[in-house]
Amino acid sequence: MAEDAPQNEKPELPTDDLVTTSHTLRTPTGGLGYTATAGRIVVRHEKHTDGTFDGHEPHAEVFLVAYTLDGAEPGTRPVTIAFNGGPGSSSVWLHMGLFGPRRVVMGDAGALTPPPWGLTDNHESLLAQSDLVFIDPVSTGYSRAVEGGKPAEFHGFTGDVETIGEVIRLWVTRNERWLSPKYLAGESYGTLRAAALAEHLQDRHGMYVNGLMLISSVLDMGTIRFTEGNDRPYPLFLPTYAAIAHHHGLHPDRTLAEVLADAADFAARDYPWALAQGNRLPAADLDRVAARLAALSGLDEGYVRRVRLRIEHQRFFRELLRASGRTVGRIDGRFTGWEADDGGEMPGYDPSIAAITGPYTAAINSHVRTTLGYANDLPYEILTGRVQPWSYKEFEGRAVSVVGKLSAAMRANPHLRVHVACGYHDGATPYFAAEQVLAALPIPDELRDRIEFRYYEAGHMMYVHEPSRLQQSADLAAFVAVTP
């Protein structure tokens, strides 16, 4: 009879399970030899009990994929550290859609390819200009809290920033990249995370980054949350509504540029004034504003009046093409879908998310196991609700905003540059809101030229639109190529 194991025996501690492979990216201008490293690294924290240091306790196992160019000089070779948003999203979108050496083949709005989709070499990969590191926050991808740990500790603003910051510090230190130019790339909530990380890395670790790539930016949640008493989002979404209406043929004989200019002018002047008047708005002004708002948004004037000039975004996606039995996407308003019937107030799903989830899920699962040689039986969490409720306890009683953190980071590091990428048809993080927030950023005028905007005729993941992907790849390559 086997003896029982000692009852005081400690459980086996988690260890890194990184796998390294070698590859070549074939491009029209030649081959790029690179090394890929995929796997989970153990993140530890310093534990203290009653003022006594108890050591470094395993806290989480965080999945990352890194691509480094063979033969490059680490001291001068840039590295871009990327993540997506959600909260609850893995890094799959930037990884397999824009930056990485392999990308998804799925078609586009109105011309989607059927399953099982495919992968192809990404000739425009940012790997030509920068090494790449993709990080999946805890509970996304293959990242998890350690056995016995509490995932909720990572499901909030501060816990998330501290954990991702520690992963960045570990990777930079272990790979001897402290002297490399460093960039943070975030998409959606990842832009809020990136801005907070810029300040956190400076203050906590003395690590100053060269640039931020803010793709589909939201730095102030008050600009996109349609909450009671908050009229800020209504004008800020209007140019996006106009762009989506234009795409669906509701602004005939007008260019997109013309429509956007009119919408931006109205959204900056008359529209906020009219909302602020409430029932004091004279009848003649109400008639004028309602007619203008309907014409720009593509909605029926009667509907605009019924909602008291306040067009909530989910309502817009449901209402715009109701007459034709269609609903439009939130993430990308170029996509359309069907509902069970045509009487609902809100969409039952986002057709743009439905269109991209299958291709990207297939791509990452195939790529990681087959190409990168990393095997894990956990489900790779693409976009999960398991991180909810996400804690914003630091912002109790006020809007979630990292405007102060970004401005503090730029003032302390005047060399920090910011690239902002906007999709005109992005109904999640409207470009006009990003413009307003950054225009009001409290930084000296001499730092204003550190911020650049680029625009694309697509949505939140603008790179699913092939012309936008090509242009965006070139824009980001140019951003990284600037000598620090």
Side-chain angles (χ1 to χ4, degrees):
M1 183 175 178
E3 295 183 5
D4 293 335
Q7 294 187 2
N8 61 351
E9 183 178 319
K10 293 184 178 180
E12 186 176 344
L13 295 177
T15 58
D16 297 354
D17 62 359
L18 300 171
V19 176
T20 300
T21 52
S22 296
H23 309 268
T24 300
L25 171 59
R26 306 291 181 186
T27 74
T29 58
L32 293 175
Y34 65 93
T35 298
T37 302
R40 305 203 299 180
I41 65 172
V42 179
V43 177
R44 293 173 169 82
H45 65 173
E46 298 180 14
K47 185 179 179 182
H48 296 81
T49 303
D50 296 329
T52 301
F53 179 54
D54 294 333
H56 294 88
E57 183 178 79
H59 202 42
E61 296 175 271
V62 177
F63 183 74
L64 61 80
V65 177
Y67 302 101
T68 56
L69 191 69
D70 295 341
E73 171 52 50
T76 57
R77 172 76 171 165
V79 57
T80 299
I81 299 158
F83 32 76
N84 279 84
S89 177
S90 65
S91 62
V92 62
W93 316 106
L94 290 178
H95 185 176
M96 306 304 297
L98 182 63
F99 288 154
R102 300 278 286 170
R103 64 178 179 86
V104 175
V105 178
M106 58 161 279
D108 194 10
L112 295 170
T113 58
W117 303 289
L119 283 167
T120 190
D121 284 345
N122 182 6
H123 295 158
E124 295 75 32
S125 171
L126 194 64
L127 183 62
Q129 290 77 30
S130 171
D131 290 342
L132 305 169
V133 182
F134 299 95
I135 300 174
D136 290 337
V138 174
S139 299
T140 77
Y142 290 129
S143 299
R144 301 291 188 272
V146 295
E147 184 176 349
K150 297 180 179 180
E153 294 179 3
F154 307 94
H155 299 166
F157 176 81
T158 297
D160 174 75
V161 168
E162 290 178 347
T163 304
I164 301 301
E166 178 63 5
V167 172
I168 292 171
R169 185 196 68 82
L170 284 172
W171 191 91
V172 168
T173 300
R174 291 175 180 178
N175 290 275
E176 301 179 358
R177 302 301 293 270
W178 274 88
L179 296 181
S180 298
K182 290 174 281 294
Y183 294 84
L184 302 179
E187 183 176 279
S188 194
Y189 181 85
T191 64
L192 189 142
R193 178 188 287 132
L197 276 168
E199 186 201 43
H200 173 76
L201 290 172
Q202 288 178 191
D203 290 354
R204 176 66 182 88
H205 300 302
M207 182 183 292
Y208 286 57
V209 300
N210 295 81
L212 302 180
M213 304 174 192
L214 307 182
I215 300 169
S216 302
S217 177
V218 55
L219 302 179
D220 180 350
M221 290 289 195
T223 63
I224 67 168
R225 297 290 192 234
F226 292 87
T227 53
E228 183 178 355
N230 179 26
D231 278 345
R232 292 178 69 195
Y234 297 105
L236 299 178
F237 273 75
L238 181 59
T240 297
Y241 296 161
I244 295 172
H246 179 273
H247 178 80
H248 293 291
L250 300 177
H251 288 287
D253 304 321
R254 302 198 72 202
T255 66
L256 177 61
E258 291 171 341
V259 171
L260 293 179
D262 283 354
D265 182 69
F266 184 71
R269 299 173 185 271
D270 287 4
Y271 191 15
W273 171 81
L275 293 177
Q277 300 313 301
N279 65 3
R280 298 168 298 178
L281 186 66
D285 287 322
L286 174 60
D287 292 343
R288 176 179 57 84
V289 169
R292 190 81 179 115
L293 187 53
L296 288 167
S297 67
L299 298 176
D300 176 75
E301 184 177 338
Y303 177 84
V304 171
R305 287 176 176 271
R306 288 194 298 275
V307 298
R308 301 186 178 185
L309 309 180
R310 290 167 172 81
I311 305 171
E312 195 276 338
H313 68 327
Q314 294 285 8
R315 284 176 156 185
F316 172 82
F317 306 140
R318 188 70 177 88
E319 187 67 25
L320 183 68
L321 301 181
R322 186 185 297 274
S324 61
R326 293 275 187 157
T327 184
V328 301
R330 173 177 176 263
I331 292 294
D332 192 329
R334 299 174 307 125
F335 288 79
T336 62
W338 300 274
E339 296 289 341
D341 61 54
D342 296 326
E345 181 186 14
M346 302 284 190
Y349 75 112
D350 182 346
S352 51
I353 284 289
I356 64 176
T357 297
Y360 277 79
T361 303
I364 192 67
N365 278 281
S366 174
H367 180 64
V368 167
R369 184 175 284 260
T370 304
T371 305
L372 303 184
Y374 179 81
N376 196 314
D377 286 339
L378 285 170
Y380 187 93
E381 298 287 353
I382 299 291
L383 184 60
T384 180
R386 293 185 177 186
V387 303
Q388 301 299 336
W390 190 261
S391 173
Y392 292 111
K393 62 182 180 182
E394 304 84 357
F395 302 93
E396 185 173 355
R398 62 189 177 96
V400 177
S401 173
V402 292
V403 169
K405 293 182 179 297
L406 177 57
S407 61
M410 293 184 71
R411 293 193 303 269
N413 175 13
H415 300 288
L416 176 61
R417 296 181 299 119
V418 180
H419 170 96
V420 187
C422 303
Y424 287 131
H425 302 99
D426 177 3
T429 57
Y431 76 91
F432 198 58
E435 290 179 350
Q436 185 187 82
V437 167
L438 287 163
L441 194 69
I443 56 175
D445 288 342
E446 51 263 45
L447 297 183
R448 295 284 171 195
D449 65 356
R450 303 292 193 273
I451 303 172
E452 67 178 36
F453 277 81
R454 297 293 183 269
Y455 301 88
Y456 308 94
E457 292 188 28
H460 199 67
M461 287 85 165
M462 57 282 292
Y463 38 85
V464 305
H465 176 239
E466 184 64 2
S468 294
R469 185 188 70 81
L470 295 173
Q471 184 59 57
Q472 186 174 25
S473 296
D475 292 340
L476 291 169
F479 181 71
V480 173
V482 174
T483 302

